[in-house]
Amino acid sequence: MSNLFFTSALLPDGWAENVLVETDGRGRIVSAMPDAACPADAERFAGAAVAGIANLHSHAHQRAIAGMGESSGEGSDSFWSWREVMYRALDRMAPEDFEAVAAQLYVETLKAGFTAIAEFHYLHHDRDGGAYADPAEMSHRAIAAARTAGLPITLLPVLYNASGFGGTPPTAGQRRFIHDGAGFDRLTTALRHSYGEADDVQLGIAPHSLRAVPDGLLTEIVAAHPQGPIHIHIAEQRREVEDCVAYRSRRPVEHLLDTQPVDGRWCLIHATHMTEAEVAGVAASGAIAGLCLTTEANLGDGFFAADSYMAQGGRWGIGSDSHISVSPVEELRWLEYGARLTSERRTVLAGGPRRSTARRLVEDAQAGGAQATGFESGRIAAGLRADIVVLDTDHPLLAAREGDALLDGWIFAGNTPLVRDVVIAGRAVVRDRRHPREDEIADRFKKTLGRLLG
Ligand code: NGQ
Ligand code: ZN
């Protein structure tokens, strides 16, 4: 049992002051009482508390190459050539290197105000493509890194089986990713055995894409995993949409909706290229659209039909994917700005007159992130996890703001990170913008990159 006291907090029915949050031994909220006195034994946070947002799409290993594919004419001019740069960086990455990179990323993730991460994990095998003595070695490393940082993790072991539609064989650069159905089943069984009961770990599955998983195999693994989130990359680049149409005479989202039981367990990553009928189909399915604005911008993917999808009640969340940027502010700001730039209007995603744009974006991303990760979180309410971020209301960027104006200031104004404290399962893991292990973790990360890339 522990008590947390926030001078202001966004509760499910609105802003409240002097909120006392009681948590139980597992870090769940027992009660959230406004207008309370601060008991002597409570941990006090001066600032605006909001439920954390889950980062619903991560490839942790790509943190090692953030910003490295930005020179023209060096093989990094398209999504597909960027992918070759990324594959090459994996040639030398050993398990301890991966863990060091992931730990750095996960500390950055927490400090930015994300309170969980879904790791879409496909770096399974040794450098020569052979299985490790423990085939779950790299999955254990991801979870160890998340535990070092104190970040709840949804591990999504990826099934990667082919390099393109029609089951074309994997390329040499993909050798560390590949499983058949039986190997994938052994991995997910081992992970369930190790982490099935853990409070800080959720397990799901991730068929990599319709390109990388033939239809029959996709149907098999969906049937074999009746619980937990299912994430898939769906329609990021026009070329993959064209390849899908050439192979199946159908677009990827259309094909998925027709052939799989897409519902609230599913998260469609990069539902970038959709027709209006596909937008309506995904919105009606209850699935989450996993939006990764900064990566999609960085890789030149295209812009998601946010206005239409949200107007139809579509559910969505955000992820930092390649980690070119790790910030809910940037993801949400780019989402609204993309909608403004393409529609030539303002407050496009506010959801109606006289509403705060950031309030709408933050609340949708909280709910979508919770659904996509499987963690019971996303609101400061009894029964849910006490995963909470506190905004620094003393900062000049938030001066004279209250209520929703604080969220609008956080998401749209300036470039200073305004998340001051982060609470995970009722305990502060970031205090005054510092993580207690950040120096040690950053040192290890820098040494690792020196070895990998030097
Ligand atoms: C990935 N990343 O799996 O890391 C992909 C690139 C692919 C993004 N799609 C590789 N952003 O899709 O084949
Ligand atoms: Zn991805």
Side-chain angles (χ1 to χ4, degrees):
M1 200 70 180
S2 77
N3 285 328
L4 310 166
F5 183 87
F6 303 100
T7 52
S8 75
L10 179 58
L11 301 181
D13 48 12
W15 286 94
E17 287 185 6
N18 299 323
V19 176
L20 179 64
V21 173
E22 283 185 319
T23 65
D24 66 15
R26 291 173 60 207
R28 301 261 168 174
I29 298 171
V30 175
S31 62
M33 281 172 300
D35 305 317
C38 181
D41 68 344
E43 185 160 7
R44 186 175 186 281
F45 298 86
V50 294
I53 295 173
N55 182 348
L56 59 62
H57 193 62
S58 164
H59 304 291
H61 65 270
Q62 293 173 19
R63 175 63 186 79
I65 57 150
M68 281 185 53
E70 304 298 327
S71 306
S72 60
E74 291 182 354
S76 42
D77 300 284
S78 75
F79 173 92
W80 305 101
S81 51
W82 167 86
R83 192 174 76 159
E84 290 306 318
V85 172
M86 187 267 284
Y87 284 0
R88 273 202 300 281
L90 296 179
D91 284 349
R92 286 202 259 171
M93 197 177 275
E96 57 275 19
D97 302 329
F98 173 63
E99 185 176 339
V101 170
Q104 173 66 21
L105 168 70
Y106 295 160
V107 167
E108 293 169 355
T109 299
L110 276 167
K111 291 179 70 177
F114 287 118
T115 50
I117 198 157
E119 185 59 44
F120 195 109
H121 174 66
Y122 60 84
L123 185 59
H124 300 299
H125 306 311
D126 206 341
R127 283 155 282 182
D128 61 3
Y132 285 108
D134 179 347
E137 172 77 34
M138 292 296 247
S139 298
H140 295 316
R141 297 289 183 155
I143 288 171
R147 287 181 165 167
T148 298
L151 178 67
I153 184 170
T154 297
L155 190 80
L156 304 164
V158 171
L159 175 58
Y160 205 112
N161 181 257
S163 69
F165 291 102
T168 46
T171 64
Q174 295 164 340
R175 67 194 178 280
R176 303 188 68 178
F177 317 156
I178 305 303
H179 280 108
D180 58 15
F184 185 69
D185 194 57
R186 281 195 293 278
L187 175 61
T188 57
T189 302
L191 292 173
R192 259 198 315 279
H193 183 74
S194 298
Y195 307 106
E197 305 300 318
D199 265 351
D200 56 346
V201 178
Q202 297 286 326
L203 295 172
I205 56 168
H208 180 275
S209 53
L210 294 179
R211 283 180 268 131
V213 184
D215 273 6
L217 196 49
L218 177 57
T219 300
E220 251 175 59
I221 65 157
V222 168
H225 295 88
Q227 259 142 40
I230 306 172
H231 291 217
I232 186 168
H233 292 129
I234 194 66
E236 179 172 15
Q237 283 275 315
R238 287 191 190 275
R239 191 179 104 188
E240 73 182 325
V241 176
E242 286 157 12
D243 289 352
C244 185
V245 171
Y247 181 67
R248 298 215 169 82
S249 306
R250 272 202 297 209
R251 304 168 58 83
V253 171
E254 195 183 13
H255 183 71
L256 188 78
L257 292 174
D258 278 358
T259 54
Q260 297 298 329
V262 177
D263 61 12
R265 291 175 63 205
W266 288 70
C267 180
L268 277 46
I269 306 296
H270 313 305
T272 309
H273 297 288
M274 295 197 285
T275 61
E276 270 304 315
E278 290 176 313
V279 170
V282 177
S285 74
I288 298 294
L291 310 179
C292 308
L293 283 295
T294 58
T295 293
E296 289 155 4
N298 185 265
L299 297 178
D301 291 339
F303 188 68
F304 174 73
D307 193 5
S308 159
Y309 181 76
M310 287 167 67
Q312 297 177 67
R315 302 176 67 77
W316 58 276
I318 52 171
S320 62
D321 188 352
S322 69
H323 314 302
I324 188 67
S325 166
V326 182
S327 155
V329 169
E330 268 216 272
E331 297 306 323
L332 296 178
R333 194 183 282 185
W334 274 85
L335 181 60
E336 170 67 18
Y337 280 179
R340 290 187 192 187
L341 288 164
T342 51
S343 70
E344 301 175 34
R345 289 185 288 128
R346 299 191 73 249
T347 62
V348 181
L349 304 178
R354 285 175 295 285
R355 300 218 196 135
S356 149
T357 306
R359 169 89 178 258
R360 203 293 168 88
L361 295 174
V362 166
E363 287 189 331
D364 275 18
Q366 288 167 332
Q371 182 178 322
T373 54
F375 282 109
E376 293 176 325
S377 58
R379 285 176 298 138
I380 301 178
L384 301 186
R385 293 173 55 92
D387 296 342
I388 296 168
V389 303
V390 184
L391 303 177
D392 180 2
T393 48
D394 289 333
H395 195 280
L397 280 167
L398 297 183
R401 308 286 205 286
E402 57 178 46
D404 291 346
L406 291 167
L407 296 180
D408 286 325
W410 178 35
I411 299 303
F412 292 107
N415 284 305
T416 308
L418 295 173
V419 170
R420 198 188 49 209
D421 310 306
V422 180
V423 172
I424 298 293
R427 289 183 36 246
V429 295
V430 173
R431 254 300 194 183
D432 289 325
R433 294 185 168 79
R434 276 195 62 80
H435 184 287
R437 297 185 65 181
E438 65 180 59
D439 294 337
E440 158 214 337
I441 289 168
D443 277 348
R444 195 162 2 116
F445 173 76
K446 287 186 270 186
K447 288 197 184 100
T448 299
L449 282 203
R451 252 184 298 111
L452 285 180
L453 307 173

